[in-house]
Amino acid sequence: MNVVQSNDIPKTTEDKFYQDIKSQINKLCQESDMTFDEKFLEDFIKSIKPKQRTNNNKNNINDIHQLNFVKVQIKNQSQKALFDTGAACSLIDKSVANKLKLAIIPSNRMLSGADSKMIPVTGEVVVKLTLNNVENYHEFIVVENCSSPVLLGIDFINDWQIKSDFANTILFGYH
């Protein structure tokens, strides 16, 4: 099923809007013993416009979540990466690491998620990564069923000295 968001205000909603405004102004006038010329009041009310809905990406929850994602290159393959300022370290999904034939080094690290549940660690990899034509090496923890193919944690953000303006999809200050 497709859901379409329209910018048009239905006529009945528009009529109700104007009726509500007129009612509020009339009530205010009665309470304060004021009078208005009926024609002036009608013209004034019609000059008020209800706030139009915009087809702005910031109104779509899926687009809001996309703001934290970037494309990175690993071994000349594009990967979707999530900036996660709540993650202490950067992660890569085991399936991505295997697909890219990355050398996974065994690890005895222990991780826990925001819910305090333990996250099994498969190993670690050091990856040559490209982000916006800047190339550098970074260490990733390999986990199964990661929420994103590549997750860029606060370690990555700090190492690469990234400053962000996610609302305007601007990233700057690479390593």
Side-chain angles (χ1 to χ4, degrees), residues 82-92 107 109-113 119 121 123-125 138-143 146-147 150-159:
L82 170 69
F83 277 109
D84 187 347
T85 58
C89 56
S90 297
L91 308 176
I92 189 166
S107 173
R109 278 191 170 178
M110 302 291 287
L111 295 180
S112 63
I119 300 171
V121 173
E124 300 175 24
V125 293
H138 192 76
E139 181 181 79
F140 288 84
I141 306 299
V142 181
V143 297
C146 189
S147 61
V150 177
L151 190 142
L152 306 172
I154 202 71
D155 63 327
F156 182 93
I157 294 166
N158 289 337
D159 287 351

Side-chain angles (χ1 to χ4, degrees), residues 5 54-66:
Q5 181 174 325
T54 61
N55 198 5
N56 185 336
N57 287 350
K58 294 175 188 171
N59 291 335
N60 182 326
I61 193 69
N62 293 325
D63 291 332
I64 289 169
H65 290 297
Q66 293 303 315

Side-chain angles (χ1 to χ4, degrees), residues 58-99:
K58 294 175 188 171
N59 291 335
N60 182 326
I61 193 69
N62 293 325
D63 291 332
I64 289 169
H65 290 297
Q66 293 303 315
L67 295 176
N68 293 359
F69 284 95
V70 292
K71 290 287 185 184
V72 297
Q73 294 285 320
I74 301 173
K75 287 194 159 185
N76 294 320
Q77 290 190 29
S78 181
Q79 299 294 326
K80 187 176 183 179
L82 170 69
F83 277 109
D84 187 347
T85 58
C89 56
S90 297
L91 308 176
I92 189 166
D93 192 272
K94 182 180 178 185
S95 65
V96 174
N98 288 338
K99 179 180 145 193

